[in-house]
Coordinates of all heavy atoms in Angstrom, one line a residue:
M1418 N -91.5 -22.1 39.5 CA -90.6 -23.2 39.4 C -89.9 -23.1 38.0 O -90.6 -22.9 37.0 CB -91.3 -24.5 39.4 CG -90.5 -25.7 39.3 SD -91.4 -27.2 39.6 CE -91.2 -28.1 38.2
K1419 N -88.6 -23.1 37.9 CA -87.9 -23.0 36.7 C -87.3 -24.4 36.3 O -86.6 -25.0 37.1 CB -86.8 -22.0 36.8 CG -86.1 -21.6 35.6 CD -85.1 -20.5 35.7 CE -84.5 -20.1 34.4 NZ -83.6 -19.0 34.5
V1420 N -87.6 -24.8 35.1 CA -87.0 -26.1 34.6 C -86.0 -25.8 33.6 O -86.2 -25.0 32.7 CB -88.2 -26.9 34.0 CG1 -87.6 -28.3 33.5 CG2 -89.3 -27.2 35.0
L1421 N -84.8 -26.4 33.8 CA -83.7 -26.2 32.8 C -83.6 -27.4 31.9 O -83.5 -28.5 32.4 CB -82.4 -25.9 33.6 CG -82.4 -24.6 34.4 CD1 -81.1 -24.6 35.2 CD2 -82.6 -23.4 33.6
F1422 N -83.5 -27.2 30.6 CA -83.3 -28.3 29.7 C -81.9 -28.2 29.1 O -81.7 -28.0 28.0 CB -84.4 -28.2 28.6 CG -85.7 -28.4 29.1 CD1 -86.6 -27.3 29.3 CD2 -86.2 -29.7 29.4 CE1 -87.9 -27.5 29.7 CE2 -87.5 -29.9 29.9 CZ -88.3 -28.8 30.0
K1423 N -80.9 -28.4 30.0 CA -79.5 -28.2 29.5 C -79.0 -29.3 28.7 O -78.0 -29.2 28.0 CB -78.6 -28.0 30.7 CG -78.5 -29.1 31.7 CD -77.7 -28.8 32.9 CE -77.7 -29.9 33.9 NZ -76.8 -29.6 35.0
F1424 N -79.7 -30.4 28.6 CA -79.2 -31.6 27.9 C -79.8 -31.6 26.5 O -79.6 -32.6 25.8 CB -79.5 -32.9 28.6 CG -78.9 -32.9 30.0 CD1 -79.6 -32.8 31.1 CD2 -77.5 -33.0 30.1 CE1 -79.0 -32.8 32.4 CE2 -76.9 -33.0 31.3 CZ -77.7 -32.9 32.5
T1425 N -80.6 -30.6 26.1 CA -81.2 -30.7 24.8 C -80.5 -30.0 23.7 O -80.9 -29.9 22.6 CB -82.6 -30.1 24.8 OG1 -82.5 -28.7 25.3 CG2 -83.5 -30.8 25.8
I1426 N -79.2 -29.6 23.9 CA -78.5 -28.9 22.9 C -78.2 -29.7 21.7 O -78.1 -29.2 20.6 CB -77.1 -28.3 23.5 CG1 -76.5 -27.3 22.6 CG2 -76.2 -29.4 23.9 CD1 -77.2 -26.0 22.5
G1427 N -78.2 -31.0 21.9 CA -77.9 -31.9 20.7 C -79.2 -32.4 20.1 O -79.2 -33.3 19.2
E1428 N -80.4 -31.9 20.5 CA -81.7 -32.4 20.0 C -82.0 -31.7 18.7 O -81.6 -30.6 18.5 CB -82.8 -32.1 21.0 CG -82.6 -32.7 22.3 CD -82.9 -34.2 22.3 OE1 -83.7 -34.6 21.5 OE2 -82.2 -35.0 23.0
V1429 N -82.7 -32.4 17.9 CA -83.1 -31.9 16.6 C -84.6 -32.1 16.5 O -85.2 -33.1 16.9 CB -82.5 -32.6 15.4 CG1 -83.1 -32.2 14.1 CG2 -81.0 -32.5 15.4
G1430 N -85.3 -31.1 16.1 CA -86.8 -31.1 16.0 C -87.3 -30.6 14.6 O -86.5 -30.2 13.8
S1431 N -88.5 -30.6 14.5 CA -89.1 -30.1 13.2 C -90.3 -29.2 13.6 O -90.6 -29.0 14.8 CB -89.7 -31.3 12.4 OG -90.8 -31.8 13.0
T1432 N -90.9 -28.7 12.6 CA -92.1 -27.8 12.9 C -93.1 -28.5 13.8 O -93.7 -27.9 14.6 CB -92.8 -27.5 11.5 OG1 -91.8 -26.9 10.6 CG2 -93.9 -26.5 11.7
F1433 N -93.2 -29.8 13.6 CA -94.2 -30.5 14.3 C -93.8 -30.9 15.7 O -94.7 -31.0 16.6 CB -94.6 -31.8 13.5 CG -94.9 -31.5 12.1 CD1 -94.0 -31.8 11.1 CD2 -96.1 -30.9 11.8 CE1 -94.3 -31.5 9.8 CE2 -96.4 -30.6 10.4 CZ -95.5 -30.9 9.4
T1434 N -92.5 -31.0 16.0 CA -92.1 -31.4 17.3 C -91.8 -30.2 18.2 O -91.7 -30.3 19.4 CB -90.9 -32.3 17.3 OG1 -89.8 -31.5 16.6 CG2 -91.1 -33.5 16.5
V1435 N -91.7 -29.0 17.7 CA -91.4 -27.8 18.5 C -92.6 -26.9 18.7 O -92.5 -25.9 19.5 CB -90.2 -27.0 18.0 CG1 -88.9 -27.8 18.0 CG2 -90.4 -26.4 16.7
Q1436 N -93.7 -27.2 18.1 CA -94.9 -26.3 18.3 C -95.3 -26.3 19.7 O -95.3 -27.4 20.4 CB -96.0 -26.9 17.4 CG -95.9 -26.5 16.0 CD -97.2 -27.0 15.2 OE1 -98.1 -27.6 15.7 NE2 -97.2 -26.7 13.9
G1437 N -95.5 -25.1 20.3 CA -95.9 -25.0 21.6 C -94.8 -25.0 22.6 O -95.0 -24.8 23.8
F1438 N -93.5 -25.2 22.2 CA -92.4 -25.2 23.1 C -91.6 -23.9 22.9 O -91.4 -23.4 21.8 CB -91.4 -26.4 22.8 CG -91.9 -27.7 23.2 CD1 -92.5 -28.6 22.3 CD2 -91.8 -28.1 24.6 CE1 -92.9 -29.8 22.7 CE2 -92.3 -29.3 25.0 CZ -92.8 -30.2 24.0
D1439 N -91.2 -23.3 24.0 CA -90.3 -22.2 23.9 C -89.0 -22.7 24.3 O -88.8 -23.2 25.4 CB -90.8 -21.0 24.9 CG -92.0 -20.3 24.4 OD1 -92.1 -20.3 23.1 OD2 -92.8 -19.8 25.2
L1440 N -88.0 -22.5 23.5 CA -86.6 -23.0 23.7 C -85.7 -21.9 24.1 O -86.0 -20.7 23.7 CB -86.1 -23.7 22.4 CG -87.0 -24.7 21.8 CD1 -86.5 -25.1 20.4 CD2 -87.2 -25.9 22.7
N1441 N -84.7 -22.2 24.9 CA -83.8 -21.1 25.2 C -83.1 -20.5 23.9 O -83.1 -19.4 23.7 CB -82.7 -21.6 26.1 CG -83.2 -21.8 27.5 OD1 -84.1 -21.1 28.0 ND2 -82.6 -22.7 28.2
Y1442 N -82.7 -21.4 23.1 CA -82.1 -21.1 21.8 C -82.6 -22.0 20.7 O -82.9 -23.2 21.0 CB -80.6 -21.2 21.8 CG -79.9 -20.2 22.7 CD1 -79.7 -20.5 24.0 CD2 -79.6 -18.9 22.3 CE1 -79.1 -19.5 24.9 CE2 -79.1 -17.9 23.1 CZ -78.8 -18.3 24.4 OH -78.3 -17.3 25.2
A1443 N -82.8 -21.5 19.5 CA -83.2 -22.3 18.4 C -82.3 -22.1 17.2 O -81.8 -21.0 17.0 CB -84.6 -22.0 18.0
G1444 N -82.0 -23.2 16.5 CA -81.2 -23.1 15.3 C -82.1 -23.6 14.2 O -82.7 -24.6 14.3
V1445 N -82.3 -22.8 13.2 CA -83.2 -23.1 12.1 C -82.4 -23.1 10.8 O -81.7 -22.2 10.4 CB -84.3 -22.0 12.0 CG1 -85.2 -22.3 10.8 CG2 -85.1 -22.0 13.3
I1446 N -82.6 -24.2 10.0 CA -82.1 -24.3 8.7 C -83.3 -24.0 7.8 O -84.2 -24.8 7.8 CB -81.5 -25.7 8.4 CG1 -80.3 -25.9 9.4 CG2 -81.0 -25.8 6.9 CD1 -79.8 -27.4 9.3
I1447 N -83.2 -23.0 7.0 CA -84.2 -22.6 6.1 C -83.9 -23.3 4.8 O -82.9 -23.0 4.1 CB -84.4 -21.1 5.9 CG1 -84.7 -20.5 7.2 CG2 -85.4 -20.8 4.8 CD1 -84.7 -18.9 7.2
G1448 N -84.7 -24.3 4.4 CA -84.4 -25.2 3.3 C -84.7 -24.5 1.9 O -85.0 -23.4 1.8
P1449 N -84.6 -25.3 0.9 CA -84.8 -24.8 -0.5 C -86.2 -24.4 -0.9 O -86.4 -23.8 -1.9 CB -84.4 -26.0 -1.4 CG -84.6 -27.2 -0.5 CD -84.3 -26.8 0.9
S1450 N -87.2 -24.5 0.0 CA -88.5 -24.0 -0.3 C -88.7 -22.5 0.0 O -89.7 -22.0 -0.4 CB -89.5 -24.8 0.6 OG -89.3 -24.6 1.9
V1451 N -87.7 -21.9 0.6 CA -87.7 -20.5 0.8 C -86.5 -19.8 0.1 O -85.4 -20.2 0.3 CB -87.7 -20.1 2.3 CG1 -87.8 -18.7 2.5 CG2 -88.7 -20.9 3.1
K1452 N -86.8 -18.9 -0.8 CA -85.8 -18.3 -1.6 C -86.0 -16.8 -1.6 O -87.0 -16.2 -1.1 CB -86.0 -18.7 -3.1 CG -85.8 -20.2 -3.3 CD -86.1 -20.6 -4.8 CE -85.9 -22.0 -5.1 NZ -85.6 -23.0 -4.2
Y1453 N -84.9 -16.1 -2.0 CA -85.0 -14.6 -2.0 C -84.6 -14.2 -3.4 O -83.5 -14.5 -3.9 CB -83.9 -14.1 -1.0 CG -84.0 -12.6 -0.8 CD1 -85.0 -12.0 0.0 CD2 -83.1 -11.7 -1.4 CE1 -85.1 -10.6 0.2 CE2 -83.1 -10.4 -1.2 CZ -84.1 -9.8 -0.4 OH -84.2 -8.5 -0.2
R1454 N -85.6 -13.5 -4.1 CA -85.4 -13.1 -5.5 C -85.9 -11.7 -5.7 O -87.0 -11.4 -5.3 CB -86.1 -14.0 -6.5 CG -85.6 -15.5 -6.5 CD -84.2 -15.6 -7.0 NE -83.8 -17.0 -7.0 CZ -83.2 -17.7 -6.0 NH1 -83.0 -17.1 -4.8 NH2 -82.9 -18.9 -6.1
N1455 N -85.1 -10.8 -6.3 CA -85.5 -9.5 -6.6 C -86.1 -8.7 -5.4 O -87.1 -8.0 -5.5 CB -86.5 -9.5 -7.8 CG -86.0 -10.1 -9.0 OD1 -84.8 -9.9 -9.4 ND2 -86.8 -11.0 -9.6
G1456 N -85.4 -8.9 -4.3 CA -85.9 -8.2 -3.1 C -87.1 -8.7 -2.3 O -87.6 -8.1 -1.4
E1457 N -87.5 -9.9 -2.7 CA -88.7 -10.5 -2.1 C -88.4 -12.0 -1.7 O -87.7 -12.7 -2.4 CB -89.9 -10.5 -3.0 CG -90.4 -9.1 -3.3 CD -91.6 -9.2 -4.2 OE1 -92.3 -10.2 -4.2 OE2 -92.0 -8.1 -4.8
I1458 N -89.1 -12.4 -0.6 CA -89.0 -13.8 -0.2 C -90.0 -14.6 -1.0 O -91.2 -14.1 -1.1 CB -89.2 -13.9 1.3 CG1 -88.1 -13.3 2.1 CG2 -89.4 -15.4 1.7 CD1 -88.3 -13.2 3.6
I1459 N -89.6 -15.7 -1.5 CA -90.5 -16.5 -2.4 C -90.6 -17.9 -1.7 O -89.6 -18.5 -1.3 CB -89.9 -16.6 -3.8 CG1 -89.9 -15.3 -4.5 CG2 -90.7 -17.6 -4.6 CD1 -89.1 -15.3 -5.8
F1460 N -91.8 -18.4 -1.7 CA -92.0 -19.8 -1.2 C -92.2 -20.7 -2.3 O -93.1 -20.5 -3.1 CB -93.2 -19.8 -0.2 CG -92.9 -19.0 1.0 CD1 -93.2 -17.7 1.1 CD2 -92.3 -19.6 2.1 CE1 -93.0 -16.9 2.3 CE2 -92.0 -18.9 3.3 CZ -92.4 -17.5 3.3
D1461 N -91.3 -21.7 -2.5 CA -91.3 -22.6 -3.6 C -91.8 -24.0 -3.2 O -91.1 -24.7 -2.5 CB -89.9 -22.7 -4.2 CG -89.8 -23.7 -5.3 OD1 -90.8 -24.1 -5.9 OD2 -88.6 -24.0 -5.6
R1462 N -93.0 -24.3 -3.5 CA -93.6 -25.6 -3.1 C -92.8 -26.8 -3.6 O -92.7 -27.8 -2.9 CB -95.1 -25.7 -3.4 CG -95.3 -25.9 -4.9 CD -96.8 -26.2 -5.1 NE -97.1 -26.4 -6.5 CZ -97.5 -25.5 -7.4 NH1 -97.7 -24.3 -6.9 NH2 -97.7 -25.9 -8.6
E1463 N -92.2 -26.7 -4.7 CA -91.4 -27.8 -5.3 C -90.2 -28.1 -4.4 O -89.6 -29.2 -4.5 CB -91.1 -27.6 -6.7 CG -92.3 -27.6 -7.6 CD -93.2 -28.8 -7.5 OE1 -92.6 -29.9 -7.4 OE2 -94.4 -28.7 -7.5
G1464 N -89.7 -27.1 -3.7 CA -88.5 -27.2 -2.9 C -88.8 -27.8 -1.5 O -87.9 -28.0 -0.8
S1465 N -90.1 -27.9 -1.2 CA -90.5 -28.4 0.1 C -90.4 -29.9 0.2 O -90.8 -30.6 -0.7 CB -91.9 -27.8 0.4 OG -92.3 -28.3 1.7
M1466 N -90.1 -30.4 1.4 CA -90.2 -31.8 1.7 C -91.6 -32.1 2.3 O -91.8 -33.3 2.6 CB -89.1 -32.2 2.7 CG -87.7 -32.0 2.1 SD -87.4 -32.8 0.6 CE -87.4 -34.5 1.2
N1467 N -92.4 -31.1 2.6 CA -93.7 -31.3 3.1 C -94.7 -31.7 2.0 O -95.0 -30.8 1.2 CB -94.2 -30.1 3.9 CG -95.5 -30.2 4.5 OD1 -96.3 -31.2 4.2 ND2 -95.8 -29.3 5.4
R1468 N -95.1 -32.9 1.9 CA -96.0 -33.3 0.8 C -97.3 -32.5 0.8 O -97.9 -32.2 -0.2 CB -96.3 -34.8 0.9 CG -95.2 -35.7 0.5 CD -95.5 -37.1 0.6 NE -95.5 -37.4 2.1 CZ -96.1 -38.4 2.7 NH1 -96.8 -39.3 1.9 NH2 -96.1 -38.6 3.9
K1469 N -97.8 -32.1 2.0 CA -99.0 -31.3 2.1 C -98.8 -29.9 1.4 O -99.8 -29.4 0.9 CB -99.5 -31.1 3.5 CG -99.9 -32.4 4.1 CD -100.4 -32.2 5.5 CE -100.8 -33.5 6.1 NZ -101.3 -33.4 7.5
A1470 N -97.6 -29.4 1.4 CA -97.4 -28.1 0.8 C -97.4 -28.2 -0.7 O -97.7 -27.3 -1.4 CB -96.1 -27.5 1.3
K1471 N -97.1 -29.4 -1.2 CA -97.0 -29.6 -2.7 C -98.4 -29.9 -3.3 O -98.6 -29.7 -4.5 CB -96.1 -30.8 -3.0 CG -94.6 -30.5 -2.7 CD -93.8 -31.6 -3.1 CE -92.3 -31.4 -2.8 NZ -91.4 -32.4 -3.2
N1472 N -99.3 -30.4 -2.5 CA -100.6 -30.8 -2.9 C -101.5 -29.5 -3.2 O -101.3 -28.5 -2.6 CB -101.3 -31.7 -1.9 CG -100.6 -33.0 -1.8 OD1 -99.9 -33.4 -2.7 ND2 -100.9 -33.7 -0.7
R1473 N -102.5 -29.7 -4.0 CA -103.5 -28.7 -4.1 C -104.8 -29.1 -3.4 O -105.0 -30.3 -3.3 CB -103.7 -28.3 -5.5 CG -104.1 -29.4 -6.4 CD -104.2 -28.9 -7.8 NE -104.9 -30.1 -8.5 CZ -105.5 -30.0 -9.6 NH1 -105.6 -28.9 -10.2 NH2 -106.1 -31.1 -10.1
R1474 N -105.5 -28.2 -3.0 CA -106.8 -28.5 -2.3 C -108.0 -28.1 -3.2 O -107.9 -27.0 -3.8 CB -106.9 -27.8 -0.9 CG -105.8 -28.4 0.0 CD -106.0 -27.8 1.4 NE -104.9 -28.4 2.2 CZ -104.7 -27.9 3.4 NH1 -105.3 -26.9 3.9 NH2 -103.7 -28.5 4.2
T1475 N -109.0 -28.8 -3.1 CA -110.2 -28.5 -3.8 C -111.1 -27.8 -2.9 O -111.5 -28.3 -1.8 CB -110.9 -29.7 -4.4 OG1 -110.0 -30.4 -5.2 CG2 -112.1 -29.4 -5.2
L1476 N -111.5 -26.6 -3.3 CA -112.4 -25.7 -2.5 C -113.9 -26.2 -2.6 O -114.2 -27.0 -3.6 CB -112.3 -24.3 -2.9 CG -110.8 -23.7 -2.8 CD1 -110.8 -22.3 -3.3 CD2 -110.3 -23.8 -1.4
K1477 N -114.7 -25.7 -1.8 CA -116.2 -26.1 -1.9 C -116.8 -25.8 -3.2 O -117.7 -26.4 -3.7 CB -116.9 -25.4 -0.8 CG -116.7 -25.9 0.6 CD -117.5 -25.2 1.7 CE -117.1 -25.8 3.0 NZ -117.9 -25.1 4.1
N1478 N -116.3 -24.7 -3.9 CA -116.8 -24.3 -5.1 C -116.2 -25.1 -6.3 O -116.5 -24.8 -7.5 CB -116.7 -22.8 -5.4 CG -115.2 -22.4 -5.5 OD1 -114.3 -23.2 -5.5 ND2 -115.0 -21.1 -5.5
G1479 N -115.4 -26.1 -6.0 CA -114.8 -26.9 -7.0 C -113.5 -26.5 -7.6 O -112.8 -27.2 -8.3
E1480 N -113.1 -25.2 -7.2 CA -111.8 -24.7 -7.7 C -110.7 -25.3 -6.9 O -110.9 -25.6 -5.7 CB -111.8 -23.2 -7.6 CG -112.7 -22.4 -8.5 CD -112.6 -20.9 -8.3 OE1 -111.5 -20.5 -7.9 OE2 -113.6 -20.2 -8.6
A1481 N -109.6 -25.5 -7.6 CA -108.4 -26.0 -6.9 C -107.4 -24.9 -6.6 O -107.3 -23.9 -7.3 CB -107.7 -27.1 -7.8
E1482 N -106.8 -25.0 -5.4 CA -105.8 -24.0 -5.1 C -104.6 -24.7 -4.4 O -104.8 -25.7 -3.7 CB -106.3 -22.9 -4.2 CG -106.5 -23.3 -2.7 CD -106.8 -22.1 -1.8 OE1 -106.6 -21.0 -2.2 OE2 -107.2 -22.4 -0.6
Y1483 N -103.4 -24.1 -4.6 CA -102.3 -24.6 -3.9 C -102.2 -23.7 -2.6 O -102.3 -22.5 -2.6 CB -101.0 -24.4 -4.7 CG -100.9 -25.4 -5.9 CD1 -101.3 -25.0 -7.2 CD2 -100.5 -26.7 -5.6 CE1 -101.2 -25.9 -8.2 CE2 -100.4 -27.6 -6.7 CZ -100.7 -27.2 -7.9 OH -100.7 -28.1 -8.9
V1484 N -101.9 -24.4 -1.5 CA -101.8 -23.7 -0.2 C -100.4 -23.7 0.3 O -100.1 -23.4 1.4 CB -102.7 -24.4 0.8 CG1 -104.2 -24.2 0.4 CG2 -102.4 -25.9 1.0
A1485 N -99.4 -24.0 -0.6 CA -98.0 -24.1 -0.2 C -97.6 -22.8 0.5 O -96.9 -22.9 1.5 CB -97.2 -24.3 -1.4
E1486 N -97.9 -21.6 -0.1 CA -97.3 -20.4 0.5 C -97.8 -20.2 1.9 O -97.1 -19.9 2.8 CB -97.7 -19.2 -0.3 CG -97.0 -18.0 0.2 CD -97.1 -16.8 -0.8 OE1 -97.4 -17.0 -2.0 OE2 -96.8 -15.7 -0.4
K1487 N -99.1 -20.5 2.2 CA -99.7 -20.4 3.5 C -99.0 -21.4 4.5 O -98.6 -21.0 5.6 CB -101.2 -20.6 3.5 CG -102.0 -19.5 2.8 CD -103.4 -19.9 2.8 CE -104.2 -18.9 1.9 NZ -105.6 -19.3 1.8
L1488 N -98.9 -22.6 4.0 CA -98.3 -23.6 4.9 C -96.8 -23.4 5.2 O -96.4 -23.5 6.3 CB -98.5 -25.0 4.3 CG -99.9 -25.6 4.2 CD1 -99.9 -26.9 3.5 CD2 -100.4 -25.9 5.7
L1489 N -96.1 -23.0 4.2 CA -94.7 -22.8 4.3 C -94.4 -21.5 5.2 O -93.5 -21.5 6.0 CB -94.0 -22.7 3.0 CG -94.0 -24.0 2.1 CD1 -93.4 -23.7 0.7 CD2 -93.2 -25.1 2.8
K1490 N -95.2 -20.5 5.0 CA -95.1 -19.3 5.9 C -95.3 -19.7 7.3 O -94.6 -19.2 8.2 CB -96.0 -18.2 5.5 CG -95.6 -17.4 4.3 CD -96.6 -16.3 4.0 CE -96.2 -15.5 2.8 NZ -97.2 -14.4 2.6
N1491 N -96.4 -20.5 7.6 CA -96.7 -20.9 8.9 C -95.6 -21.7 9.5 O -95.2 -21.5 10.7 CB -98.0 -21.6 8.9 CG -98.5 -22.0 10.3 OD1 -98.6 -21.1 11.2 ND2 -98.7 -23.2 10.6
E1492 N -95.1 -22.7 8.8 CA -94.0 -23.5 9.3 C -92.8 -22.7 9.7 O -92.2 -22.9 10.7 CB -93.5 -24.5 8.2 CG -94.5 -25.7 8.0 CD -94.0 -26.6 6.9 OE1 -92.9 -26.5 6.5 OE2 -94.8 -27.5 6.6
L1493 N -92.4 -21.7 8.8 CA -91.3 -20.9 9.1 C -91.5 -20.0 10.3 O -90.6 -19.9 11.1 CB -91.0 -20.0 7.8 CG -89.7 -19.2 7.9 CD1 -88.5 -20.1 8.0 CD2 -89.5 -18.4 6.6
N1494 N -92.7 -19.5 10.4 CA -93.1 -18.7 11.6 C -92.9 -19.5 12.9 O -92.4 -19.0 13.9 CB -94.5 -18.1 11.4 CG -94.8 -17.2 12.6 OD1 -94.2 -16.2 12.9 ND2 -95.9 -17.6 13.3
V1495 N -93.4 -20.7 12.9 CA -93.3 -21.5 14.1 C -91.8 -21.7 14.5 O -91.5 -21.5 15.6 CB -94.0 -22.9 13.8 CG1 -93.6 -23.9 14.9 CG2 -95.5 -22.7 13.8
L1496 N -91.0 -22.1 13.5 CA -89.6 -22.3 13.8 C -88.8 -21.1 14.2 O -88.0 -21.1 15.1 CB -88.9 -23.0 12.6 CG -89.4 -24.4 12.2 CD1 -88.8 -24.8 10.9 CD2 -89.1 -25.4 13.3
L1497 N -89.1 -19.9 13.6 CA -88.4 -18.7 13.9 C -88.8 -18.1 15.2 O -88.1 -17.2 15.7 CB -88.5 -17.7 12.7 CG -87.9 -18.1 11.4 CD1 -88.1 -17.1 10.4 CD2 -86.4 -18.4 11.6
T1498 N -89.9 -18.5 15.8 CA -90.4 -17.9 17.0 C -90.2 -18.7 18.3 O -90.7 -18.4 19.3 CB -91.8 -17.5 16.9 OG1 -92.6 -18.6 16.6 CG2 -92.0 -16.4 15.8
R1499 N -89.4 -19.8 18.2 CA -89.2 -20.7 19.3 C -88.1 -20.3 20.2 O -88.2 -20.6 21.4 CB -89.0 -22.2 18.8 CG -90.1 -22.8 18.1 CD -91.4 -22.9 18.9 NE -92.2 -21.8 18.5 CZ -93.4 -21.4 19.1 NH1 -93.8 -22.1 20.1 NH2 -94.1 -20.4 18.7
G1500 N -87.1 -19.6 19.7 CA -86.0 -19.3 20.6 C -86.2 -18.1 21.4 O -86.4 -17.0 20.9
V1501 N -86.3 -18.2 22.8 CA -86.5 -17.1 23.7 C -85.3 -16.2 23.8 O -85.4 -15.0 23.7 CB -86.9 -17.7 25.1 CG1 -87.1 -16.5 26.1 CG2 -88.2 -18.4 25.0
N1502 N -84.1 -16.8 24.0 CA -82.9 -16.1 24.2 C -82.1 -15.8 22.9 O -81.2 -15.0 22.9 CB -82.0 -16.7 25.2 CG -82.7 -16.8 26.6 OD1 -83.4 -15.8 27.0 ND2 -82.6 -17.9 27.3
G1503 N -82.4 -16.6 21.9 CA -81.6 -16.4 20.7 C -82.0 -17.4 19.6 O -82.7 -18.3 19.8
L1504 N -81.6 -17.0 18.4 CA -82.0 -17.7 17.2 C -80.8 -17.8 16.2 O -80.2 -16.7 16.0 CB -83.2 -17.0 16.5 CG -83.6 -17.6 15.1 CD1 -84.1 -19.0 15.3 CD2 -84.6 -16.7 14.5
Y1505 N -80.4 -18.9 15.8 CA -79.4 -19.1 14.8 C -80.1 -19.6 13.5 O -80.9 -20.5 13.5 CB -78.4 -20.2 15.3 CG -77.7 -19.8 16.5 CD1 -78.2 -20.1 17.8 CD2 -76.5 -19.1 16.5 CE1 -77.5 -19.7 18.9 CE2 -75.8 -18.7 17.6 CZ -76.3 -19.0 18.8 OH -75.7 -18.6 20.0
I1506 N -79.7 -18.9 12.4 CA -80.3 -19.2 11.1 C -79.3 -19.5 10.1 O -78.3 -18.8 10.0 CB -81.2 -18.0 10.6 CG1 -82.2 -17.6 11.6 CG2 -81.8 -18.3 9.3 CD1 -83.0 -16.3 11.2
Y1507 N -79.6 -20.6 9.3 CA -78.8 -20.9 8.1 C -79.8 -21.0 7.0 O -80.8 -21.8 7.1 CB -78.0 -22.1 8.3 CG -77.2 -22.5 7.0 CD1 -76.0 -21.8 6.7 CD2 -77.7 -23.4 6.1 CE1 -75.3 -22.1 5.5 CE2 -77.0 -23.6 4.9 CZ -75.9 -23.0 4.6 OH -75.2 -23.2 3.5
A1508 N -79.5 -20.3 5.9 CA -80.4 -20.4 4.7 C -79.7 -21.2 3.6 O -78.5 -20.9 3.3 CB -80.8 -19.1 4.2
V1509 N -80.3 -22.2 3.0 CA -79.8 -23.0 2.0 C -79.6 -22.1 0.7 O -78.6 -22.2 0.0 CB -80.6 -24.2 1.7 CG1 -80.2 -25.0 0.4 CG2 -80.6 -25.2 2.9
D1510 N -80.6 -21.3 0.4 CA -80.6 -20.4 -0.8 C -79.5 -19.4 -0.6 O -79.5 -18.6 0.4 CB -82.0 -19.8 -0.9 CG -82.0 -18.9 -2.2 OD1 -82.0 -19.4 -3.3 OD2 -82.2 -17.7 -2.0
D1511 N -78.6 -19.3 -1.5 CA -77.5 -18.3 -1.5 C -78.0 -16.9 -1.3 O -77.5 -16.1 -0.5 CB -76.6 -18.4 -2.7 CG -75.8 -19.8 -2.7 OD1 -75.6 -20.3 -1.6 OD2 -75.5 -20.2 -3.8
E1512 N -79.0 -16.5 -2.1 CA -79.4 -15.1 -2.1 C -80.1 -14.8 -0.8 O -80.0 -13.7 -0.3 CB -80.4 -14.9 -3.3 CG -79.6 -14.9 -4.6 CD -80.5 -14.6 -5.8 OE1 -81.3 -13.6 -5.7 OE2 -80.4 -15.3 -6.8
L1513 N -80.9 -15.7 -0.3 CA -81.5 -15.5 1.0 C -80.5 -15.4 2.1 O -80.6 -14.5 3.0 CB -82.5 -16.6 1.3 CG -83.3 -16.5 2.7 CD1 -84.0 -15.2 2.8 CD2 -84.2 -17.7 2.9
R1514 N -79.5 -16.2 2.1 CA -78.4 -16.2 3.1 C -77.7 -14.8 3.1 O -77.5 -14.2 4.1 CB -77.4 -17.3 2.9 CG -76.5 -17.5 4.0 CD -75.6 -18.8 3.9 NE -75.0 -18.9 2.6 CZ -75.3 -19.8 1.7 NH1 -76.3 -20.7 1.9 NH2 -74.6 -19.9 0.6
E1515 N -77.4 -14.3 1.9 CA -76.8 -13.0 1.7 C -77.7 -11.9 2.2 O -77.2 -11.0 2.9 CB -76.4 -12.8 0.3 CG -75.2 -13.6 -0.2 CD -74.0 -13.4 0.6 OE1 -73.6 -12.2 0.9 OE2 -73.3 -14.4 0.9
A1516 N -79.0 -12.0 1.9 CA -79.9 -10.9 2.4 C -80.0 -10.9 3.9 O -80.1 -9.9 4.6 CB -81.3 -11.2 1.8
L1517 N -80.0 -12.1 4.5 CA -80.1 -12.2 6.0 C -78.8 -11.7 6.6 O -78.9 -11.0 7.7 CB -80.3 -13.7 6.4 CG -81.7 -14.3 6.1 CD1 -81.7 -15.8 6.3 CD2 -82.7 -13.6 7.0
L1518 N -77.7 -12.0 6.0 CA -76.4 -11.4 6.6 C -76.3 -9.9 6.5 O -75.9 -9.3 7.4 CB -75.2 -12.1 5.8 CG -74.9 -13.5 6.2 CD1 -73.9 -14.1 5.2 CD2 -74.5 -13.7 7.6
K1519 N -76.9 -9.4 5.4 CA -76.9 -7.9 5.2 C -77.9 -7.3 6.3 O -77.6 -6.3 6.9 CB -77.3 -7.5 3.8 CG -76.3 -7.7 2.8 CD -76.8 -7.3 1.4 CE -75.7 -7.6 0.4 NZ -76.2 -7.3 -1.0
A1520 N -79.0 -7.9 6.5 CA -80.0 -7.4 7.4 C -79.5 -7.5 8.8 O -79.8 -6.7 9.7 CB -81.3 -8.2 7.3
Q1521 N -78.6 -8.5 9.1 CA -78.0 -8.6 10.5 C -77.3 -7.4 10.9 O -77.3 -7.0 12.0 CB -77.1 -9.8 10.5 CG -76.3 -10.0 11.7 CD -75.3 -11.1 11.5 OE1 -75.8 -12.3 11.6 NE2 -74.1 -10.9 11.3
G1522 N -76.6 -6.7 9.9 CA -75.8 -5.6 10.2 C -76.6 -4.3 10.4 O -76.0 -3.3 10.9
K1523 N -77.9 -4.3 10.1 CA -78.7 -3.1 10.3 C -79.3 -2.9 11.6 O -79.6 -3.8 12.3 CB -79.8 -3.1 9.2 CG -79.3 -3.0 7.8 CD -80.4 -2.9 6.8 CE -79.8 -2.8 5.4 NZ -80.8 -2.8 4.4

């Protein structure tokens, strides 16, 4: 049985609402928490709107660690893997956007 969701083109979701769904096409806006500097992708917790990414966690041994990079990588992975037939990407960061456009041509 094939179900078509032709009326969802105007729908907007987030990492939390699209988990577990495979969409025909996905459009992802990569916000200011993901940057491209000196040939590397950088995850900036201060640029994230996810409060959990900004917080630090206390480990069992009492040490504190920021888990922003892990959380932000996971969020991005979820969003970038939802489109079965295609993916549209826009990056807020100018350098990341330029790197993605260059990579598109390869």
